[in-house]
Amino acid sequence: MTSPQPLFNRLALIGVGLIGSSIARAARAQGVVRSIVATARSAATRVRVAELGLADQVVESNAAAADGADLVIVSIPVGQSGAVAKEIGHHLKAGAIVSDVGSVKAAVLRDMAPHIPAGVHFVPAHPVAGTEYSGPDAGFAELFVNRWCILTPPENADRTAVERLAAFWSALGANVEIMTADHHDLVLAVTSHLPHLIAYTIVGTADEFAQVTRSEVLQFSAGGFRDFTRIAASDPTMWRDVFLANKDAVLEMLGRFNEDIAGLTRAIRRGDGEALFAHFTRTRAIRKGIVAVGQDSPAPDFGRPHPGLPHAPLPRPYAADEE
Ligand code: NAP
């Protein structure tokens, strides 16, 4: 996986949060770039990036970061993409590759492409990997290992530039897939955006159910709720932008979801155990498929470590069996 030669001379990271800082760490660890220049919106984040030693150089503006870079990766909330592309457009050097990591692709393509000058290659990307944490401290070099990175080059994209970016992501451990931005947005609407919306909804519903929220909901959260709370802890700015930017695909999937939940509601009301059993059997098989392709742990309880028993377990065969 380690590349013998750096793939790029100078990598510019605009935005050094969970994703940007993970790229910095992984690119360093794999030796895929000769140097990294980084910037973020606030002075506080730039200071932290310097303290963590994530880049060779930390600069104060997006334009300064883009100056002279061979690969520019914009890792910021998607709602900011257009404005940032406008800031850096005139500073990009001929032959450079500009990419991003946004969770929505058609809106990024629409907002950024007009500001990228001729002779600079624009290849949007989305590493499908993350956690519920944000900021430069949250990143880690292994984040992209065995995860997918989807590239959504525009139709007229330069093939060599696409291949170079694919090689970069492969060197960081990702599996690379190429598709259109529209297709990406439809697929991610159901695999990522809708699940987040459901998590945000159910955690909000429980919170409004105030009488139990303060005590029982938290106390008994291991009954399924706990996993929703992890997803619902994801960054509010990022997810606000995702839903605004992928409105049509999310509304399409939400329509289907509402139909399906109406079907299950009817099955419960009618006492139709057969329908419920058939549905749950189908979904269980999907989970097994995800584990089989290595996208999640087969360990029980999603691989969470479990504390030991309060007392040492009885030796087998149990004492009672021996009597
Ligand atoms: P994050 O941890 O909140 O970091 C965002 C970074 O962007 C911060 O360094 C922030 O600087 C900087 N920033 C914001 N606006 C900026 C601007 N106008 N100019 C320069 N820098 C700016 O976010 P993240 O989780 O890394 O997400 C970044 C992108 O990755 C989003 O588009 C998201 O859709 C995508 N993504 C996220 C995940 C995930 O699970 N989190 C997974 C895949 C893709 P300050 O700290 O100074 O505000």
Side-chain angles (χ1 to χ4, degrees):
M1 227 189 286
T2 310
S3 48
Q5 281 285 322
L7 297 167
F8 294 92
N9 266 326
R10 190 173 165 86
L11 166 66
L13 293 173
I14 297 182
V16 197
L18 169 71
I19 302 296
S21 76
S22 295
I23 295 173
R25 290 173 168 102
R28 273 266 175 81
Q30 297 298 296
V32 288
V33 296
R34 284 209 170 80
S35 69
I36 299 177
V37 55
T39 192
R41 179 178 45 182
S42 69
T45 300
R46 294 195 295 268
V47 166
R48 188 65 189 141
V49 170
E51 280 170 1
L52 290 168
L54 293 172
D56 300 280
Q57 205 187 342
V58 179
V59 295
E60 287 192 9
S61 73
N62 296 331
D67 256 326
D70 304 284
L71 173 62
V72 179
I73 303 185
V74 177
S75 308
I76 63 175
V78 291
Q80 299 278 313
S81 308
V84 168
K86 193 174 177 190
E87 285 174 46
I88 64 174
H90 295 300
H91 297 264
L92 296 163
K93 83 172 188 191
I97 297 175
V98 176
S99 189
D100 77 313
V101 296
S103 309
V104 177
K105 298 276 50 102
V108 164
L109 197 58
R110 179 197 66 207
D111 295 347
M112 288 185 75
H115 305 292
I116 310 296
V120 174
H121 308 296
F122 181 41
V123 187
H126 175 204
V128 187
T131 75
E132 65 276 34
Y133 296 105
S134 309
D137 287 276
F140 50 99
E142 302 78 16
L143 179 63
F144 310 111
V145 174
N146 201 26
R147 301 271 86 95
W148 285 99
C149 182
I150 302 173
L151 309 188
T152 62
E155 261 177 32
N156 57 350
D158 179 74
R159 266 199 32 208
T160 311
V162 176
E163 280 164 14
R164 287 186 73 202
L165 189 65
F168 175 85
W169 280 106
S170 298
L172 268 47
N175 307 312
V176 177
E177 181 82 46
I178 296 176
M179 61 178 74
T180 65
D182 286 339
H183 188 67
H184 166 279
D185 289 356
L186 203 58
V187 172
L188 270 290
V190 72
T191 58
S192 170
H193 307 169
L194 191 57
H196 275 81
L197 193 69
I198 293 166
Y200 281 126
T201 309
I202 197 164
V203 174
T205 305
D207 190 49
E208 277 160 32
F209 193 41
Q211 270 192 328
V212 287
T213 302
R214 307 288 166 242
S215 51
E216 283 100 328
V217 169
L218 299 183
Q219 188 179 338
F220 301 118
S221 67
F225 184 71
R226 177 173 70 176
D227 293 310
F228 282 113
T229 62
R230 188 187 64 74
I231 300 175
S234 299
D235 188 66
T237 307
M238 167 186 159
W239 283 97
R240 176 202 60 199
D241 284 10
V242 166
F243 291 114
L244 295 178
N246 201 21
K247 177 176 158 181
D248 293 342
V250 170
L251 290 179
E252 162 71 24
M253 290 305 163
L254 204 48
R256 289 172 192 228
F257 176 79
N258 283 330
E259 282 174 24
D260 291 346
I261 209 160
L264 288 177
T265 309
R266 198 178 325 113
I268 293 169
R269 189 182 305 115
R270 290 180 180 170
D272 187 349
E274 224 171 280
L276 294 173
F277 188 82
H279 189 96
F280 301 157
T281 304
R282 185 158 61 90
T283 55
R284 180 179 236 193
I286 292 168
R287 168 71 192 168
K288 282 185 180 158
I290 287 171
V291 170
V293 297
Q295 291 297 303
D296 207 353
S297 163
D301 200 13
F302 308 103
R304 286 187 178 96
H306 285 174
L309 287 165
H311 306 291
L314 290 171
R316 282 172 192 271
Y318 295 117
D321 295 340
E322 285 174 332
E323 281 167 10

